[in-house]
Amino acid sequence: MLFFSNVSQATVVLVYHHVSESTPKSTSISPKQFEKHLQYIKDNGFTVIPLNEMIDSLKAKKPLADKTIVITFDDGYSDILYNGHPLLKKYGFPYTMFINPDSVPNKPGIYLDWQQIKQMSDEGVLIANHGLKHDSLIKVPAGTNADDWLEQKLTELQQSEEIIEQQTGQSWKYFALPYGEYTPIAQQKLADLGYAVVTQQSGPVGDSTDLTAIPRFPASMPYDQLAPLKDKLNSVAFELSQQTQRSSTVVDANNPIDTNVELKVDDFYPTMLACFVAGKGQAEVKWHKDNNGFTMNFDTTFAAGRQRVNCTAPSISKPGRYYWYSKPWFVPNKDGSWYKD
């Protein structure tokens, strides 16, 4: 049975890093192309809202307005101020910058200094937490206990929040996961500490989005062209169960791949849903008898590294728009060591 509701509303969060033509392409967008993004957003009925407005709505269980966008930057590079900030001011768009306080004094000219960050803060930029250092929560150094490592990173996260507040007067308790890597245990501990957490897997944000795994669409190269960006900006969010959003992420001998997805069938036909696994092609989708979810079947032999699946289905009530869900998995090397970035 299909029924329509406000589930087919969505806020899309975009993540950028560099706005420059001379920085690594995998994390960069040129100033010219970045302005094309902003102009498209302005001309096509979208509203850019600050991150706190979206998170406050999620916390209050308040429906998100449709076709709203949140703009974020990770790492606090100086070119954000020189090249990105003037364009965002020109278009009147609010944005958030996630920083690692340990990076601020270490590489002047590459990273922003505290004076520059405070200037941006005073001009309305929301400054948030990317961890004290740019360390993954899950990549445990050899000889270190995984639980001890996570506790150390969470302690540093709290230290980072205090430093940001001291330097800027802002303390939102918003955390952008370094490398987008996390586990269900980390999610629960971050929730217990009161953090809203943004990731790096693709997908729009809907009313059911878990505050410990808020998806963001990468918008730097090679994802910076307008054609694919339009599809992302117009995407809508599946209504997913919390269990699905907190399912296992690390895949090794002790943790088989969790390919089960629980969601509400609303405003799309189950037969139209398709899931594509990176490097493996389309997965076979087997729906549960009551249509409250599905299981994906595919070759589960993953190479070490960050892996993912993207599932989409066309909306019935909003022709031309697609529901979108992305699931990340993190696969250690065969010897148990972690892959290098």
Side-chain angles (χ1 to χ4, degrees), residues 27-100:
T27 54
S28 301
I29 185 170
S30 70
K32 181 179 180 180
Q33 189 67 14
F34 184 55
E35 183 160 20
K36 287 183 180 180
H37 287 197
L38 303 183
Q39 189 67 52
Y40 178 83
I41 289 168
K42 179 182 178 182
D43 291 344
N44 287 276
F46 296 96
T47 301
V48 180
I49 62 173
L51 178 61
N52 61 299
E53 184 176 323
M54 183 194 77
I55 291 177
D56 287 347
S57 293
L58 290 173
K59 288 181 176 179
K61 308 294 185 183
K62 179 182 176 183
L64 296 168
D66 196 25
K67 297 193 73 171
T68 50
I69 294 171
V70 173
I71 296 173
T72 67
F73 288 86
D74 283 1
D75 300 334
Y77 294 113
S78 58
D79 52 72
I80 300 170
L81 173 61
Y82 301 142
N83 299 329
H85 186 68
L87 289 171
L88 287 155
K89 286 182 66 177
K90 173 182 174 180
Y91 285 82
F93 292 162
Y95 71 98
T96 297
M97 184 170 66
F98 290 94
I99 64 169
N100 307 101

Side-chain angles (χ1 to χ4, degrees), residues 237-292:
F238 288 111
E239 187 170 356
L240 299 159
S241 72
Q242 185 182 75
Q243 182 173 339
T244 288
Q245 295 176 81
R246 296 200 184 188
S247 60
S248 61
T249 54
V250 174
V251 180
D252 56 25
N254 299 316
N255 297 286
I257 298 174
D258 186 343
T259 62
N260 186 60
V261 178
E262 296 179 350
L263 78 171
K264 187 176 181 181
V265 177
D266 187 349
D267 189 37
F268 69 93
Y269 295 111
T271 55
M272 298 296 288
L273 181 136
C275 295
F276 292 87
V277 185
K280 296 181 180 294
Q282 187 169 356
E284 177 191 10
V285 172
K286 184 177 181 179
W287 280 91
H288 303 165
K289 288 183 179 180
D290 54 5
N291 270 4
N292 69 346

